Amino acid sequence: MHPAPPTPAALILVPLLFLFFFTGPVIAWRPWPNQSLNKTDFLFGGSKKYEGSSEFVQLKYHMGPVLTENITVFPIWYGSWQSSQKRIIREFISSISAVDSKPPSVAGWWKTVQQYTDQTGANISRHVHIGAEKNDRFYSHGKSLTRLSVQSVIKSAVTSTTRPLPINPKSGVYLLLTSEDVYVQDFCNNVCGFHYFTFPSIVGYTLPYAWVGNSAKLCPGVCAYPFAAPKYIPGLKAVKSPNGDVGVDGMISVIAHEIAEVSTNPLINAWYAGPDPVFPVEIADLCEGIYGTGGGGSYTGQMFNGEDGATYNMNGIRRRFLVQWVWNHMVNYCSGPNALDQ
């Protein structure tokens, strides 16, 4: 039999653009005010925020690649960032592989992510480190970004005439971090962060990437919860953030969420639940808002209070962080290193 003729590039791009524009990148779930649910939300709505096992969650592997080689995170600092803010985020990323950190640790949290494999049986890499960084302090694409212009920012970072970021499509994660004065399409309305992959037609390469924004000015009660209280829940009190920066401490869990999902589903064809690939429910989506034992619904679960009154649930190299749990497909429930049964 003669091999089938190659598919024209334009025909390949059409469905990708459909997914990007009409469904958007894979996004985190939070209790948004006036939210509308898609059909996957209706299917998993009762289980996505429940710490115990659920017979309704059928997370499946769809044969796509996962990040099994040493993972390199390339931060792109877009806008105005303080050195202290960068240090908090850098230390969190570095803590993912810091196995000697005091338990319960960020490295212990990553062990759940490591359990996911590709079709050869290779696990997600244990090694996550920070690679080259890029600063875009002059807002090269403005202070209001669309989903396509997010990709254009990444293109600028990898094609810059001065110190461009390395091209690493196999194990690189390009992490775009926007400062508190930058708005990204749908930010605060139904996203705090998202991940996807870049289009060769825009960037020149297919690169897994994630975006996370600092919500300190725009919507801390939504995207920095529980360090700020949403206005639509009267009487709810915020807790003290562990590193003294509500916006950045709120970003940490979103960054964790996106790195976990981009590692297990970098091209949106690997690990996810639900019958509809247009609305995949991924390993962090299933546990959004759960930080400890007993978490579910509006209850975050049991967390720790430090001597300084700050709330956290795991330790990094030198700092403490509050990080949501992720779905453990081996036992079929959300898990984290601070679980009371560990």
Side-chain angles (χ1 to χ4, degrees):
M1 179 181 294
H2 295 290
T7 304
L11 294 181
I12 297 174
L13 186 59
V14 168
L16 290 177
L17 288 174
F18 174 83
L19 287 172
F20 189 74
F21 282 113
F22 293 94
T23 70
V26 179
I27 60 175
W29 183 93
R30 286 175 183 262
W32 309 100
N34 305 316
Q35 66 176 322
S36 60
L37 302 179
N38 59 52
K39 62 182 179 182
T40 305
D41 288 318
F42 281 118
L43 180 65
F44 291 103
S47 59
K48 285 173 66 176
K49 290 178 66 65
Y50 178 57
E51 184 233 334
S53 61
S54 175
E55 62 194 36
F56 300 107
V57 176
Q58 297 295 327
L59 190 75
K60 295 181 179 179
Y61 177 52
H62 299 269
M63 304 307 288
V66 300
L67 302 187
T68 58
E69 297 187 7
N70 292 353
I71 299 168
T72 303
V73 178
F74 300 105
I76 302 170
W77 306 96
Y78 191 87
S80 178
W81 287 93
Q82 300 173 19
S83 296
S84 59
Q85 295 176 320
K86 290 182 178 181
R87 284 195 295 270
I88 295 169
I89 293 173
R90 287 190 189 113
E91 183 165 323
F92 170 73
I93 297 171
S94 297
S95 294
I96 293 175
S97 297
V99 294
D100 294 329
S101 298
K102 177 183 176 181
S105 68
V106 176
W109 168 83
W110 186 252
K111 285 182 179 180
T112 300
V113 181
Q114 284 180 249
Q115 294 178 353
Y116 290 86
T117 61
D118 65 9
Q119 55 187 301
T120 71
N123 292 83
I124 300 292
S125 176
R126 179 174 70 85
H127 301 284
V128 180
H129 68 275
I130 298 177
E133 304 180 29
K134 195 67 178 175
N135 291 295
D136 194 334
R137 62 177 62 90
F138 297 114
Y139 309 87
S140 64
H141 293 265
K143 291 188 176 182
S144 183
L145 303 176
T146 65
R147 288 178 174 148
L148 282 183
S149 61
V150 161
Q151 295 204 20
S152 296
V153 173
I154 296 172
K155 177 184 179 180
S156 296
V158 300
T159 61
S160 174
T161 55
T162 58
R163 298 181 180 178
L165 293 182
I167 302 298
N168 185 350
K170 199 167 185 180
S171 60
V173 175
Y174 295 79
L175 180 61
L176 176 60
L177 303 166
T178 51
S179 58
E180 61 185 19
D181 55 347
V182 176
Y183 175 76
V184 174
Q185 183 179 352
D186 296 324
F187 190 22
C188 299
N189 293 322
N190 57 15
V191 296
C192 299
F194 58 69
H195 77 90
Y196 210 65
F197 54 87
T198 62
F199 299 148
S201 59
I202 297 176
V203 179
Y205 309 90
T206 300
L207 305 173
Y209 76 90
W211 159 75
V212 179
N214 186 337
S215 66
K217 286 186 177 179
L218 296 173
C219 58
V222 176
C223 291
Y225 177 79
F227 303 128
K231 295 179 180 178
Y232 55 88
I233 306 180
L236 186 66
K237 294 183 178 181
V239 299
K240 183 178 179 180
S241 67
N243 296 290
D245 190 309
V246 168
V248 174
D249 274 318
M251 290 179 72
I252 293 299
S253 191
V254 185
I255 291 171
H257 180 124
E258 301 305 336
I259 291 178
E261 292 187 342
V262 78
S263 298
T264 54
N265 197 25
L267 301 182
I268 323 301
N269 60 359
W271 287 95
Y272 63 86
D276 189 352
V278 173
F279 295 104
V281 179
E282 299 172 285
I283 71 167
D285 295 326
L286 288 163
C287 307
E288 179 73 35
I290 296 176
Y291 300 92
T293 298
S298 60
Y299 178 52
T300 57
Q302 296 192 35
M303 304 177 290
F304 303 129
N305 289 317
E307 294 181 358
D308 59 353
T311 298
Y312 67 102
N313 66 346
M314 58 190 75
N315 298 293
I317 298 172
R318 288 173 296 273
R319 298 176 184 268
R320 301 165 300 176
F321 302 101
L322 184 65
V323 179
Q324 70 152 92
W325 286 8
V326 291
W327 188 259
N328 186 329
H329 71 301
M330 305 296 288
V331 294
N332 215 36
Y333 55 77
C334 298
S335 63
N338 58 311
L340 293 182
D341 59 354
Q342 293 187 15

